[in-house]
Amino acid sequence: MKTSHVATANVLELFRQRGGSLYGGEAVTEQEHALQAAWLAEQAGAPPALIVAALLHDIGHLLHNLPEDAPDHGIDDRHEHSGASWLRRYFGPEVAEPVRLHVAAKRYLCAVEPRYLQQLSAPSQLSLRLQGGAMSPEEVHDFERHPHAQAAVRLRHWDDAAKIAGLETPLLEHFARYFTQVDENRGEPAT
Ligand code: FE
């Protein structure tokens, strides 16, 4: 069976089981948040791999059994790492790396755009503190040299905007069609 078919089946099942949980203290569910992020990426003309990354950037939240309010208890679920590892089974670095870096991108933007922090939602500001706060100048330098840094920053902006209660979007199946367009370039072995 093609990798993209397995990915589609597993993603649909994960969202069916867990996608209805609230997105970390926001007014949308995990599934609504994922669909809005992918919809913003698609409308921005992003390449298929980045649309898939936007859709699945928080898949790590669906892979653990921590409570939705874990950050209120001082727990960082490190979902960007668990999510990227999971995605490497099916996709190459152009999907997995922006996902792995989307929390770093928040810390980066807090360092380089003075107004960025203020427009983050309260839950996102809380998790930022658990994730290490704004980057140091050295971290900024290192982040900017990463080949997927630009993609991660684009993804971050869609992530931040994808929190609108009641917004209508295309369905999960619409975005899952992009899986077939990226698994041909699958680059990294499964971990
Ligand atoms: Fe998110």
Side-chain angles (χ1 to χ4, degrees):
M1 194 189 272
K2 277 180 65 137
T3 307
S4 62
H5 292 164
V6 180
T8 302
N10 288 347
V11 164
L12 293 179
E13 179 62 16
L14 259 181
F15 275 101
R16 192 187 65 73
Q17 288 180 9
R18 310 286 301 272
S21 62
L22 277 182
Y23 173 59
E26 309 280 0
V28 290
T29 65
E30 287 285 352
Q31 180 158 324
E32 288 167 335
H33 176 63
L35 293 174
Q36 289 183 25
W39 183 220
L40 288 165
E42 187 180 67
Q43 288 172 306
L50 198 49
I51 296 171
V52 173
L55 180 73
L56 303 178
H57 75 276
D58 279 335
I59 199 87
H61 282 316
L62 307 185
L63 299 171
H64 63 63
N65 290 312
L66 292 170
E68 289 157 16
D69 63 349
D72 292 338
H73 303 285
I75 299 166
D76 172 14
D77 66 3
R78 296 177 54 80
H79 70 284
E80 70 275 30
H81 298 289
S82 55
S85 298
W86 194 86
L87 290 170
R88 276 187 216 110
R89 297 180 199 170
Y90 311 110
F91 304 108
E94 62 288 329
V95 173
E97 285 298 280
V99 171
R100 184 176 69 81
L101 294 171
H102 84 278
V103 171
K106 176 167 73 167
R107 298 184 56 231
Y108 169 76
L109 287 167
C110 285
V112 300
E113 287 186 13
R115 281 195 301 238
Y116 176 77
L117 174 65
Q118 294 149 35
Q119 49 94 52
L120 285 177
S121 65
S124 199
Q125 292 194 25
L126 172 64
S127 61
L128 173 73
R129 287 198 284 281
L130 297 173
Q131 291 155 347
M135 281 185 171
S136 69
E138 294 75 25
E139 288 174 317
V140 165
H141 177 77
D142 290 347
F143 180 80
E144 287 175 340
R145 295 167 74 90
H146 196 286
H148 296 280
Q150 282 292 333
V153 168
R154 293 185 78 191
L155 168 47
R156 184 72 229 179
H157 286 302
W158 301 322
D159 182 3
D160 294 331
K163 300 175 177 179
I164 300 170
L167 185 75
E168 290 229 7
T169 66
L171 301 175
L172 201 47
E173 288 78 2
H174 167 79
F175 295 111
R177 280 194 228 119
Y178 287 107
F179 295 3
T180 56
Q181 296 178 39
V182 291
D183 84 322
E184 259 84 280
N185 318 318
R186 186 162 171 261
E188 294 185 354
T191 52

